[in-house]
PDB file of all heavy atoms in Angstrom:
ATOM      1  N   ALA A   1      24.790  56.417 144.858  1.00 72.00           N
ATOM      2  CA  ALA A   1      23.923  55.857 143.936  1.00 72.00           C
ATOM      3  C   ALA A   1      23.039  54.777 144.650  1.00 72.00           C
ATOM      4  O   ALA A   1      21.811  54.667 144.358  1.00 72.00           O
ATOM      5  CB  ALA A   1      24.652  55.140 142.835  1.00 72.00           C
ATOM      6  N   ASP A   2      23.578  53.967 145.556  1.00 78.00           N
ATOM      7  CA  ASP A   2      22.869  52.920 146.347  1.00 78.00           C
ATOM      8  C   ASP A   2      21.659  53.724 147.150  1.00 78.00           C
ATOM      9  O   ASP A   2      20.525  53.309 147.194  1.00 78.00           O
ATOM     10  CB  ASP A   2      23.653  52.188 147.195  1.00 78.00           C
ATOM     11  CG  ASP A   2      24.587  51.211 146.509  1.00 78.00           C
ATOM     12  OD1 ASP A   2      24.342  50.931 145.353  1.00 78.00           O
ATOM     13  OD2 ASP A   2      25.594  50.784 147.123  1.00 78.00           O
ATOM     14  N   PHE A   3      22.104  54.812 147.830  1.00 79.00           N
ATOM     15  CA  PHE A   3      21.186  55.619 148.662  1.00 79.00           C
ATOM     16  C   PHE A   3      20.067  56.124 147.762  1.00 79.00           C
ATOM     17  O   PHE A   3      18.825  56.162 148.037  1.00 79.00           O
ATOM     18  CB  PHE A   3      21.798  56.574 149.352  1.00 79.00           C
ATOM     19  CG  PHE A   3      20.886  57.439 150.215  1.00 79.00           C
ATOM     20  CD1 PHE A   3      20.340  56.936 151.382  1.00 79.00           C
ATOM     21  CD2 PHE A   3      20.476  58.786 149.899  1.00 79.00           C
ATOM     22  CE1 PHE A   3      19.421  57.546 152.192  1.00 79.00           C
ATOM     23  CE2 PHE A   3      19.534  59.396 150.625  1.00 79.00           C
ATOM     24  CZ  PHE A   3      18.994  58.872 151.738  1.00 79.00           C
ATOM     25  N   GLU A   4      20.476  56.719 146.699  1.00 83.00           N
ATOM     26  CA  GLU A   4      19.458  57.319 145.673  1.00 83.00           C
ATOM     27  C   GLU A   4      18.501  56.298 145.197  1.00 83.00           C
ATOM     28  O   GLU A   4      17.309  56.417 145.104  1.00 83.00           O
ATOM     29  CB  GLU A   4      20.154  57.971 144.529  1.00 83.00           C
ATOM     30  CG  GLU A   4      19.218  58.710 143.654  1.00 83.00           C
ATOM     31  CD  GLU A   4      19.849  59.408 142.522  1.00 83.00           C
ATOM     32  OE1 GLU A   4      21.080  59.614 142.615  1.00 83.00           O
ATOM     33  OE2 GLU A   4      19.178  59.874 141.550  1.00 83.00           O
ATOM     34  N   GLN A   5      18.964  55.130 144.870  1.00 86.00           N
ATOM     35  CA  GLN A   5      18.087  53.934 144.509  1.00 86.00           C
ATOM     36  C   GLN A   5      16.979  53.675 145.663  1.00 86.00           C
ATOM     37  O   GLN A   5      15.959  53.313 145.374  1.00 86.00           O
ATOM     38  CB  GLN A   5      18.861  52.772 143.944  1.00 86.00           C
ATOM     39  CG  GLN A   5      17.964  51.633 143.583  1.00 86.00           C
ATOM     40  CD  GLN A   5      18.785  50.570 143.012  1.00 86.00           C
ATOM     41  OE1 GLN A   5      20.079  50.626 142.898  1.00 86.00           O
ATOM     42  NE2 GLN A   5      18.131  49.398 142.712  1.00 86.00           N
ATOM     43  N   MET A   6      17.643  53.587 146.915  1.00 85.00           N
ATOM     44  CA  MET A   6      16.930  53.121 147.920  1.00 85.00           C
ATOM     45  C   MET A   6      15.747  54.149 148.163  1.00 85.00           C
ATOM     46  O   MET A   6      14.647  53.883 148.440  1.00 85.00           O
ATOM     47  CB  MET A   6      17.644  53.057 149.275  1.00 85.00           C
ATOM     48  CG  MET A   6      16.834  52.653 150.464  1.00 85.00           C
ATOM     49  SD  MET A   6      17.969  52.246 152.038  1.00 85.00           S
ATOM     50  CE  MET A   6      18.717  53.915 152.229  1.00 85.00           C
ATOM     51  N   TYR A   7      16.090  55.471 148.118  1.00 85.00           N
ATOM     52  CA  TYR A   7      15.312  56.632 148.372  1.00 85.00           C
ATOM     53  C   TYR A   7      14.059  56.440 147.274  1.00 85.00           C
ATOM     54  O   TYR A   7      13.011  56.559 147.574  1.00 85.00           O
ATOM     55  CB  TYR A   7      15.971  57.959 148.237  1.00 85.00           C
ATOM     56  CG  TYR A   7      15.090  59.201 148.213  1.00 85.00           C
ATOM     57  CD1 TYR A   7      14.752  59.653 149.543  1.00 85.00           C
ATOM     58  CD2 TYR A   7      14.685  59.765 147.114  1.00 85.00           C
ATOM     59  CE1 TYR A   7      13.881  60.723 149.711  1.00 85.00           C
ATOM     60  CE2 TYR A   7      13.897  60.950 147.321  1.00 85.00           C
ATOM     61  CZ  TYR A   7      13.422  61.434 148.478  1.00 85.00           C
ATOM     62  OH  TYR A   7      12.703  62.502 148.648  1.00 85.00           O
ATOM     63  N   ASN A   8      14.488  56.347 145.968  1.00 86.00           N
ATOM     64  CA  ASN A   8      13.589  56.257 144.930  1.00 86.00           C
ATOM     65  C   ASN A   8      12.547  55.001 145.065  1.00 86.00           C
ATOM     66  O   ASN A   8      11.373  55.154 144.744  1.00 86.00           O
ATOM     67  CB  ASN A   8      14.208  56.214 143.545  1.00 86.00           C
ATOM     68  CG  ASN A   8      14.842  57.575 143.215  1.00 86.00           C
ATOM     69  OD1 ASN A   8      14.434  58.580 143.608  1.00 86.00           O
ATOM     70  ND2 ASN A   8      15.940  57.413 142.419  1.00 86.00           N
ATOM     71  N   THR A   9      13.154  54.038 145.472  1.00 87.00           N
ATOM     72  CA  THR A   9      12.342  52.644 145.651  1.00 87.00           C
ATOM     73  C   THR A   9      11.372  52.870 146.751  1.00 87.00           C
ATOM     74  O   THR A   9      10.230  52.326 146.721  1.00 87.00           O
ATOM     75  CB  THR A   9      13.364  51.499 145.851  1.00 87.00           C
ATOM     76  OG1 THR A   9      14.172  51.566 144.771  1.00 87.00           O
ATOM     77  CG2 THR A   9      12.515  50.287 146.010  1.00 87.00           C
ATOM     78  N   TYR A  10      11.828  53.445 147.951  1.00 86.00           N
ATOM     79  CA  TYR A  10      10.960  53.221 149.146  1.00 86.00           C
ATOM     80  C   TYR A  10      10.347  54.602 149.652  1.00 86.00           C
ATOM     81  O   TYR A  10       9.603  54.554 150.548  1.00 86.00           O
ATOM     82  CB  TYR A  10      11.879  52.649 150.293  1.00 86.00           C
ATOM     83  CG  TYR A  10      12.378  51.311 150.039  1.00 86.00           C
ATOM     84  CD1 TYR A  10      13.702  51.094 149.773  1.00 86.00           C
ATOM     85  CD2 TYR A  10      11.442  50.286 149.985  1.00 86.00           C
ATOM     86  CE1 TYR A  10      14.123  49.801 149.492  1.00 86.00           C
ATOM     87  CE2 TYR A  10      11.873  48.989 149.647  1.00 86.00           C
ATOM     88  CZ  TYR A  10      13.170  48.766 149.532  1.00 86.00           C
ATOM     89  OH  TYR A  10      13.727  47.569 149.258  1.00 86.00           O
ATOM     90  N   TYR A  11      10.594  55.670 149.020  1.00 87.00           N
ATOM     91  CA  TYR A  11      10.077  56.913 149.459  1.00 87.00           C
ATOM     92  C   TYR A  11       8.607  56.959 149.709  1.00 87.00           C
ATOM     93  O   TYR A  11       8.129  57.267 150.909  1.00 87.00           O
ATOM     94  CB  TYR A  11      10.389  58.155 148.445  1.00 87.00           C
ATOM     95  CG  TYR A  11       9.841  59.354 149.181  1.00 87.00           C
ATOM     96  CD1 TYR A  11      10.548  60.143 150.157  1.00 87.00           C
ATOM     97  CD2 TYR A  11       8.615  59.865 148.714  1.00 87.00           C
ATOM     98  CE1 TYR A  11       9.926  61.316 150.611  1.00 87.00           C
ATOM     99  CE2 TYR A  11       8.062  60.995 149.269  1.00 87.00           C
ATOM    100  CZ  TYR A  11       8.721  61.677 150.138  1.00 87.00           C
ATOM    101  OH  TYR A  11       8.211  62.812 150.888  1.00 87.00           O
ATOM    102  N   MET A  12       7.826  56.517 148.698  1.00 88.00           N
ATOM    103  CA  MET A  12       6.308  56.451 148.921  1.00 88.00           C
ATOM    104  C   MET A  12       5.804  55.415 149.942  1.00 88.00           C
ATOM    105  O   MET A  12       4.847  55.797 150.615  1.00 88.00           O
ATOM    106  CB  MET A  12       5.606  56.217 147.504  1.00 88.00           C
ATOM    107  CG  MET A  12       5.639  57.522 146.606  1.00 88.00           C
ATOM    108  SD  MET A  12       5.029  59.059 147.444  1.00 88.00           S
ATOM    109  CE  MET A  12       3.369  58.584 147.679  1.00 88.00           C
ATOM    110  N   LYS A  13       6.423  54.314 149.983  1.00 86.00           N
ATOM    111  CA  LYS A  13       6.121  53.288 151.056  1.00 86.00           C
ATOM    112  C   LYS A  13       6.312  53.907 152.387  1.00 86.00           C
ATOM    113  O   LYS A  13       5.622  53.685 153.246  1.00 86.00           O
ATOM    114  CB  LYS A  13       6.799  52.011 150.686  1.00 86.00           C
ATOM    115  CG  LYS A  13       6.458  51.295 149.545  1.00 86.00           C
ATOM    116  CD  LYS A  13       7.122  49.992 149.317  1.00 86.00           C
ATOM    117  CE  LYS A  13       6.716  49.304 148.147  1.00 86.00           C
ATOM    118  NZ  LYS A  13       7.382  48.059 148.019  1.00 86.00           N
ATOM    119  N   VAL A  14       7.521  54.454 152.642  1.00 87.00           N
ATOM    120  CA  VAL A  14       7.834  54.962 153.948  1.00 87.00           C
ATOM    121  C   VAL A  14       6.957  56.144 154.271  1.00 87.00           C
ATOM    122  O   VAL A  14       6.374  56.226 155.297  1.00 87.00           O
ATOM    123  CB  VAL A  14       9.410  55.448 153.979  1.00 87.00           C
ATOM    124  CG1 VAL A  14       9.684  56.203 155.313  1.00 87.00           C
ATOM    125  CG2 VAL A  14      10.295  54.243 153.880  1.00 87.00           C
ATOM    126  N   TYR A  15       6.621  56.975 153.280  1.00 85.00           N
ATOM    127  CA  TYR A  15       5.772  58.198 153.444  1.00 85.00           C
ATOM    128  C   TYR A  15       4.441  57.713 153.894  1.00 85.00           C
ATOM    129  O   TYR A  15       3.741  58.258 154.858  1.00 85.00           O
ATOM    130  CB  TYR A  15       5.705  59.010 152.222  1.00 85.00           C
ATOM    131  CG  TYR A  15       4.642  60.116 152.320  1.00 85.00           C
ATOM    132  CD1 TYR A  15       4.768  61.312 153.064  1.00 85.00           C
ATOM    133  CD2 TYR A  15       3.523  59.967 151.575  1.00 85.00           C
ATOM    134  CE1 TYR A  15       3.817  62.157 153.195  1.00 85.00           C
ATOM    135  CE2 TYR A  15       2.508  60.886 151.649  1.00 85.00           C
ATOM    136  CZ  TYR A  15       2.660  62.156 152.518  1.00 85.00           C
ATOM    137  OH  TYR A  15       1.725  63.034 152.534  1.00 85.00           O
ATOM    138  N   SER A  16       3.819  56.653 153.133  1.00 84.00           N
ATOM    139  CA  SER A  16       2.541  56.036 153.544  1.00 84.00           C
ATOM    140  C   SER A  16       2.618  55.529 154.861  1.00 84.00           C
ATOM    141  O   SER A  16       1.594  55.656 155.604  1.00 84.00           O
ATOM    142  CB  SER A  16       2.200  54.962 152.420  1.00 84.00           C
ATOM    143  OG  SER A  16       2.090  55.503 151.255  1.00 84.00           O
ATOM    144  N   PHE A  17       3.622  54.833 155.311  1.00 84.00           N
ATOM    145  CA  PHE A  17       3.696  54.310 156.713  1.00 84.00           C
ATOM    146  C   PHE A  17       3.673  55.444 157.626  1.00 84.00           C
ATOM    147  O   PHE A  17       2.982  55.281 158.707  1.00 84.00           O
ATOM    148  CB  PHE A  17       5.042  53.436 156.776  1.00 84.00           C
ATOM    149  CG  PHE A  17       5.235  53.014 158.122  1.00 84.00           C
ATOM    150  CD1 PHE A  17       4.500  51.957 158.844  1.00 84.00           C
ATOM    151  CD2 PHE A  17       6.250  53.512 158.938  1.00 84.00           C
ATOM    152  CE1 PHE A  17       4.743  51.568 159.966  1.00 84.00           C
ATOM    153  CE2 PHE A  17       6.593  53.081 160.109  1.00 84.00           C
ATOM    154  CZ  PHE A  17       5.774  52.078 160.714  1.00 84.00           C
ATOM    155  N   ALA A  18       4.328  56.459 157.375  1.00 85.00           N
ATOM    156  CA  ALA A  18       4.378  57.633 158.252  1.00 85.00           C
ATOM    157  C   ALA A  18       3.084  58.394 158.312  1.00 85.00           C
ATOM    158  O   ALA A  18       2.674  58.796 159.416  1.00 85.00           O
ATOM    159  CB  ALA A  18       5.521  58.663 157.681  1.00 85.00           C
ATOM    160  N   VAL A  19       2.406  58.484 157.251  1.00 83.00           N
ATOM    161  CA  VAL A  19       0.948  58.995 157.207  1.00 83.00           C
ATOM    162  C   VAL A  19       0.068  58.216 158.202  1.00 83.00           C
ATOM    163  O   VAL A  19      -0.693  58.783 159.050  1.00 83.00           O
ATOM    164  CB  VAL A  19       0.439  59.168 155.831  1.00 83.00           C
ATOM    165  CG1 VAL A  19      -1.083  59.336 156.009  1.00 83.00           C
ATOM    166  CG2 VAL A  19       1.190  60.183 155.095  1.00 83.00           C
ATOM    167  N   THR A  20       0.324  56.809 158.112  1.00 81.00           N
ATOM    168  CA  THR A  20      -0.497  55.939 159.017  1.00 81.00           C
ATOM    169  C   THR A  20      -0.166  56.250 160.485  1.00 81.00           C
ATOM    170  O   THR A  20      -1.117  56.242 161.212  1.00 81.00           O
ATOM    171  CB  THR A  20      -0.189  54.630 158.626  1.00 81.00           C
ATOM    172  OG1 THR A  20      -0.532  54.410 157.234  1.00 81.00           O
ATOM    173  CG2 THR A  20      -0.983  53.602 159.451  1.00 81.00           C
ATOM    174  N   LEU A  21       1.050  56.473 160.750  1.00 81.00           N
ATOM    175  CA  LEU A  21       1.411  56.722 162.094  1.00 81.00           C
ATOM    176  C   LEU A  21       0.915  58.035 162.597  1.00 81.00           C
ATOM    177  O   LEU A  21       0.433  58.287 163.620  1.00 81.00           O
ATOM    178  CB  LEU A  21       2.979  56.652 162.282  1.00 81.00           C
ATOM    179  CG  LEU A  21       3.723  55.245 162.073  1.00 81.00           C
ATOM    180  CD1 LEU A  21       5.144  55.537 162.154  1.00 81.00           C
ATOM    181  CD2 LEU A  21       3.212  54.313 163.198  1.00 81.00           C
ATOM    182  N   THR A  22       1.162  59.111 161.722  1.00 83.00           N
ATOM    183  CA  THR A  22       1.046  60.439 162.130  1.00 83.00           C
ATOM    184  C   THR A  22      -0.509  60.997 161.954  1.00 83.00           C
ATOM    185  O   THR A  22      -0.868  61.944 162.600  1.00 83.00           O
ATOM    186  CB  THR A  22       1.829  61.447 161.533  1.00 83.00           C
ATOM    187  OG1 THR A  22       1.657  61.549 160.203  1.00 83.00           O
ATOM    188  CG2 THR A  22       3.434  61.156 161.750  1.00 83.00           C
ATOM    189  N   LYS A  23      -1.101  60.411 161.072  1.00 82.00           N
ATOM    190  CA  LYS A  23      -2.425  60.954 160.535  1.00 82.00           C
ATOM    191  C   LYS A  23      -2.264  62.432 160.140  1.00 82.00           C
ATOM    192  O   LYS A  23      -3.392  63.157 160.137  1.00 82.00           O
ATOM    193  CB  LYS A  23      -3.521  60.826 161.798  1.00 82.00           C
ATOM    194  CG  LYS A  23      -3.395  59.529 162.383  1.00 82.00           C
ATOM    195  CD  LYS A  23      -4.339  58.441 161.793  1.00 82.00           C
ATOM    196  CE  LYS A  23      -4.525  57.248 162.589  1.00 82.00           C
ATOM    197  NZ  LYS A  23      -3.548  56.337 162.549  1.00 82.00           N
ATOM    198  N   ASN A  24      -1.184  62.663 159.588  1.00 82.00           N
ATOM    199  CA  ASN A  24      -0.982  64.177 159.334  1.00 82.00           C
ATOM    200  C   ASN A  24       0.166  64.167 158.162  1.00 82.00           C
ATOM    201  O   ASN A  24       1.160  63.751 158.331  1.00 82.00           O
ATOM    202  CB  ASN A  24      -0.493  65.086 160.494  1.00 82.00           C
ATOM    203  CG  ASN A  24      -0.187  66.472 160.131  1.00 82.00           C
ATOM    204  OD1 ASN A  24       0.658  66.781 159.315  1.00 82.00           O
ATOM    205  ND2 ASN A  24      -0.976  67.241 160.863  1.00 82.00           N
ATOM    206  N   GLN A  25      -0.250  64.900 156.950  1.00 85.00           N
ATOM    207  CA  GLN A  25       0.746  64.834 155.874  1.00 85.00           C
ATOM    208  C   GLN A  25       2.029  65.614 156.205  1.00 85.00           C
ATOM    209  O   GLN A  25       3.132  65.189 155.806  1.00 85.00           O
ATOM    210  CB  GLN A  25       0.009  65.349 154.566  1.00 85.00           C
ATOM    211  CG  GLN A  25      -1.041  64.514 153.888  1.00 85.00           C
ATOM    212  CD  GLN A  25      -1.627  65.227 152.803  1.00 85.00           C
ATOM    213  OE1 GLN A  25      -1.449  66.362 152.487  1.00 85.00           O
ATOM    214  NE2 GLN A  25      -2.378  64.347 152.030  1.00 85.00           N
ATOM    215  N   HIS A  26       1.903  66.668 156.881  1.00 88.00           N
ATOM    216  CA  HIS A  26       3.039  67.577 157.037  1.00 88.00           C
ATOM    217  C   HIS A  26       4.052  66.829 157.954  1.00 88.00           C
ATOM    218  O   HIS A  26       5.146  66.667 157.664  1.00 88.00           O
ATOM    219  CB  HIS A  26       2.670  68.931 157.716  1.00 88.00           C
ATOM    220  CG  HIS A  26       3.833  69.723 157.946  1.00 88.00           C
ATOM    221  ND1 HIS A  26       4.923  69.272 158.702  1.00 88.00           N
ATOM    222  CD2 HIS A  26       4.211  70.944 157.715  1.00 88.00           C
ATOM    223  CE1 HIS A  26       5.853  70.324 158.929  1.00 88.00           C
ATOM    224  NE2 HIS A  26       5.288  71.248 158.300  1.00 88.00           N
ATOM    225  N   ASP A  27       3.478  66.187 158.943  1.00 88.00           N
ATOM    226  CA  ASP A  27       4.257  65.517 159.927  1.00 88.00           C
ATOM    227  C   ASP A  27       4.949  64.214 159.367  1.00 88.00           C
ATOM    228  O   ASP A  27       6.092  63.876 159.557  1.00 88.00           O
ATOM    229  CB  ASP A  27       3.551  65.028 161.167  1.00 88.00           C
ATOM    230  CG  ASP A  27       3.146  66.203 161.995  1.00 88.00           C
ATOM    231  OD1 ASP A  27       3.591  67.285 161.910  1.00 88.00           O
ATOM    232  OD2 ASP A  27       2.167  66.002 163.000  1.00 88.00           O
ATOM    233  N   ALA A  28       4.118  63.583 158.509  1.00 87.00           N
ATOM    234  CA  ALA A  28       4.600  62.368 157.696  1.00 87.00           C
ATOM    235  C   ALA A  28       5.723  62.749 156.799  1.00 87.00           C
ATOM    236  O   ALA A  28       6.721  62.038 156.680  1.00 87.00           O
ATOM    237  CB  ALA A  28       3.430  61.760 156.935  1.00 87.00           C
ATOM    238  N   GLU A  29       5.717  63.879 156.137  1.00 90.00           N
ATOM    239  CA  GLU A  29       6.662  64.345 155.191  1.00 90.00           C
ATOM    240  C   GLU A  29       8.060  64.648 156.120  1.00 90.00           C
ATOM    241  O   GLU A  29       9.086  64.156 155.653  1.00 90.00           O
ATOM    242  CB  GLU A  29       6.310  65.701 154.454  1.00 90.00           C
ATOM    243  CG  GLU A  29       5.357  65.475 153.444  1.00 90.00           C
ATOM    244  CD  GLU A  29       4.709  66.798 152.907  1.00 90.00           C
ATOM    245  OE1 GLU A  29       5.166  67.819 153.348  1.00 90.00           O
ATOM    246  OE2 GLU A  29       3.838  66.641 151.978  1.00 90.00           O
ATOM    247  N   GLU A  30       7.852  65.125 157.215  1.00 92.00           N
ATOM    248  CA  GLU A  30       8.914  65.503 158.076  1.00 92.00           C
ATOM    249  C   GLU A  30       9.628  64.150 158.548  1.00 92.00           C
ATOM    250  O   GLU A  30      10.877  63.982 158.487  1.00 92.00           O
ATOM    251  CB  GLU A  30       8.486  66.284 159.285  1.00 92.00           C
ATOM    252  CG  GLU A  30       9.661  66.790 160.178  1.00 92.00           C
ATOM    253  CD  GLU A  30      10.317  68.056 159.556  1.00 92.00           C
ATOM    254  OE1 GLU A  30       9.751  68.747 158.795  1.00 92.00           O
ATOM    255  OE2 GLU A  30      11.502  68.204 159.928  1.00 92.00           O
ATOM    256  N   ILE A  31       8.916  63.293 159.045  1.00 91.00           N
ATOM    257  CA  ILE A  31       9.386  61.994 159.498  1.00 91.00           C
ATOM    258  C   ILE A  31      10.031  61.161 158.326  1.00 91.00           C
ATOM    259  O   ILE A  31      11.108  60.613 158.494  1.00 91.00           O
ATOM    260  CB  ILE A  31       8.304  61.147 160.087  1.00 91.00           C
ATOM    261  CG1 ILE A  31       7.943  61.682 161.521  1.00 91.00           C
ATOM    262  CG2 ILE A  31       8.658  59.619 160.268  1.00 91.00           C
ATOM    263  CD1 ILE A  31       6.858  60.993 162.271  1.00 91.00           C
ATOM    264  N   THR A  32       9.384  61.268 157.171  1.00 90.00           N
ATOM    265  CA  THR A  32      10.007  60.551 155.960  1.00 90.00           C
ATOM    266  C   THR A  32      11.444  61.166 155.622  1.00 90.00           C
ATOM    267  O   THR A  32      12.333  60.450 155.331  1.00 90.00           O
ATOM    268  CB  THR A  32       9.106  60.663 154.809  1.00 90.00           C
ATOM    269  OG1 THR A  32       7.750  60.011 155.227  1.00 90.00           O
ATOM    270  CG2 THR A  32       9.607  59.907 153.609  1.00 90.00           C
ATOM    271  N   GLN A  33      11.414  62.484 155.572  1.00 92.00           N
ATOM    272  CA  GLN A  33      12.707  63.077 155.194  1.00 92.00           C
ATOM    273  C   GLN A  33      13.740  62.876 156.427  1.00 92.00           C
ATOM    274  O   GLN A  33      14.903  62.466 156.081  1.00 92.00           O
ATOM    275  CB  GLN A  33      12.549  64.724 155.304  1.00 92.00           C
ATOM    276  CG  GLN A  33      11.785  65.162 154.043  1.00 92.00           C
ATOM    277  CD  GLN A  33      11.385  66.657 154.223  1.00 92.00           C
ATOM    278  OE1 GLN A  33      11.834  67.255 155.095  1.00 92.00           O
ATOM    279  NE2 GLN A  33      10.756  67.174 153.197  1.00 92.00           N
ATOM    280  N   ASN A  34      13.353  62.840 157.599  1.00 91.00           N
ATOM    281  CA  ASN A  34      14.374  62.466 158.662  1.00 91.00           C
ATOM    282  C   ASN A  34      14.713  61.020 158.577  1.00 91.00           C
ATOM    283  O   ASN A  34      15.844  60.648 159.007  1.00 91.00           O
ATOM    284  CB  ASN A  34      13.693  62.841 160.123  1.00 91.00           C
ATOM    285  CG  ASN A  34      13.752  64.436 160.239  1.00 91.00           C
ATOM    286  OD1 ASN A  34      14.337  65.162 159.644  1.00 91.00           O
ATOM    287  ND2 ASN A  34      12.785  64.737 161.168  1.00 91.00           N
ATOM    288  N   THR A  35      13.814  60.137 158.185  1.00 89.00           N
ATOM    289  CA  THR A  35      14.066  58.716 158.049  1.00 89.00           C
ATOM    290  C   THR A  35      15.238  58.525 157.172  1.00 89.00           C
ATOM    291  O   THR A  35      16.177  57.865 157.382  1.00 89.00           O
ATOM    292  CB  THR A  35      12.853  57.950 157.705  1.00 89.00           C
ATOM    293  OG1 THR A  35      11.898  58.100 158.577  1.00 89.00           O
ATOM    294  CG2 THR A  35      13.229  56.468 157.467  1.00 89.00           C
ATOM    295  N   PHE A  36      15.075  59.139 155.885  1.00 89.00           N
ATOM    296  CA  PHE A  36      16.084  58.972 154.886  1.00 89.00           C
ATOM    297  C   PHE A  36      17.445  59.620 155.295  1.00 89.00           C
ATOM    298  O   PHE A  36      18.486  59.142 155.082  1.00 89.00           O
ATOM    299  CB  PHE A  36      15.630  59.294 153.493  1.00 89.00           C
ATOM    300  CG  PHE A  36      14.765  58.319 152.913  1.00 89.00           C
ATOM    301  CD1 PHE A  36      13.341  58.389 152.935  1.00 89.00           C
ATOM    302  CD2 PHE A  36      15.180  57.247 152.283  1.00 89.00           C
ATOM    303  CE1 PHE A  36      12.554  57.523 152.491  1.00 89.00           C
ATOM    304  CE2 PHE A  36      14.339  56.241 151.783  1.00 89.00           C
ATOM    305  CZ  PHE A  36      13.024  56.367 151.827  1.00 89.00           C
ATOM    306  N   PHE A  37      17.384  60.699 156.036  1.00 89.00           N
ATOM    307  CA  PHE A  37      18.596  61.417 156.399  1.00 89.00           C
ATOM    308  C   PHE A  37      19.302  60.469 157.416  1.00 89.00           C
ATOM    309  O   PHE A  37      20.561  60.237 157.369  1.00 89.00           O
ATOM    310  CB  PHE A  37      18.235  62.712 157.124  1.00 89.00           C
ATOM    311  CG  PHE A  37      19.424  63.341 157.701  1.00 89.00           C
ATOM    312  CD1 PHE A  37      20.380  64.002 156.815  1.00 89.00           C
ATOM    313  CD2 PHE A  37      19.718  63.382 158.999  1.00 89.00           C
ATOM    314  CE1 PHE A  37      21.510  64.620 157.454  1.00 89.00           C
ATOM    315  CE2 PHE A  37      20.816  63.911 159.578  1.00 89.00           C
ATOM    316  CZ  PHE A  37      21.717  64.551 158.744  1.00 89.00           C
ATOM    317  N   LYS A  38      18.569  59.929 158.402  1.00 89.00           N
ATOM    318  CA  LYS A  38      19.099  59.057 159.396  1.00 89.00           C
ATOM    319  C   LYS A  38      19.690  57.854 158.742  1.00 89.00           C
ATOM    320  O   LYS A  38      20.773  57.265 159.096  1.00 89.00           O
ATOM    321  CB  LYS A  38      18.109  58.725 160.457  1.00 89.00           C
ATOM    322  CG  LYS A  38      18.694  58.006 161.637  1.00 89.00           C
ATOM    323  CD  LYS A  38      17.858  57.996 162.827  1.00 89.00           C
ATOM    324  CE  LYS A  38      18.555  57.360 164.079  1.00 89.00           C
ATOM    325  NZ  LYS A  38      17.891  57.484 165.246  1.00 89.00           N
ATOM    326  N   ALA A  39      19.007  57.202 157.748  1.00 86.00           N
ATOM    327  CA  ALA A  39      19.540  56.095 157.152  1.00 86.00           C
ATOM    328  C   ALA A  39      20.834  56.336 156.310  1.00 86.00           C
ATOM    329  O   ALA A  39      21.706  55.458 156.247  1.00 86.00           O
ATOM    330  CB  ALA A  39      18.381  55.520 156.133  1.00 86.00           C
ATOM    331  N   MET A  40      20.904  57.526 155.842  1.00 84.00           N
ATOM    332  CA  MET A  40      22.062  57.911 154.975  1.00 84.00           C
ATOM    333  C   MET A  40      23.265  58.157 155.948  1.00 84.00           C
ATOM    334  O   MET A  40      24.347  57.859 155.531  1.00 84.00           O
ATOM    335  CB  MET A  40      21.842  59.134 154.167  1.00 84.00           C
ATOM    336  CG  MET A  40      23.018  59.620 153.311  1.00 84.00           C
ATOM    337  SD  MET A  40      22.453  61.005 152.281  1.00 84.00           S
ATOM    338  CE  MET A  40      22.342  62.257 153.434  1.00 84.00           C
ATOM    339  N   THR A  41      22.990  58.623 157.101  1.00 85.00           N
ATOM    340  CA  THR A  41      24.045  59.072 157.904  1.00 85.00           C
ATOM    341  C   THR A  41      24.446  58.162 159.082  1.00 85.00           C
ATOM    342  O   THR A  41      25.385  58.415 159.824  1.00 85.00           O
ATOM    343  CB  THR A  41      23.629  60.572 158.694  1.00 85.00           C
ATOM    344  OG1 THR A  41      22.574  60.351 159.387  1.00 85.00           O
ATOM    345  CG2 THR A  41      23.590  61.528 157.597  1.00 85.00           C
ATOM    346  N   THR A  42      23.741  57.082 159.197  1.00 81.00           N
ATOM    347  CA  THR A  42      24.101  56.129 160.175  1.00 81.00           C
ATOM    348  C   THR A  42      24.413  54.691 159.530  1.00 81.00           C
ATOM    349  O   THR A  42      23.879  54.464 158.490  1.00 81.00           O
ATOM    350  CB  THR A  42      22.923  55.863 161.212  1.00 81.00           C
ATOM    351  OG1 THR A  42      21.755  55.375 160.604  1.00 81.00           O
ATOM    352  CG2 THR A  42      22.676  57.129 162.030  1.00 81.00           C
TER     353      THR A  42
END
C-alpha cells in the first residue's frame, strides 16, 4: 500500500524528470517504470 501510494504520488513527477533527461517519451516511460521497480525491489 505504501509503494502504491508512492507510485500514485510521484509517477508523473518522475516521468517528467525522465523526459527532461531523455528528451524521448518512450525512453522516459522505460526509465520511469524501471525506477519504480528498483525502488520497490531495493
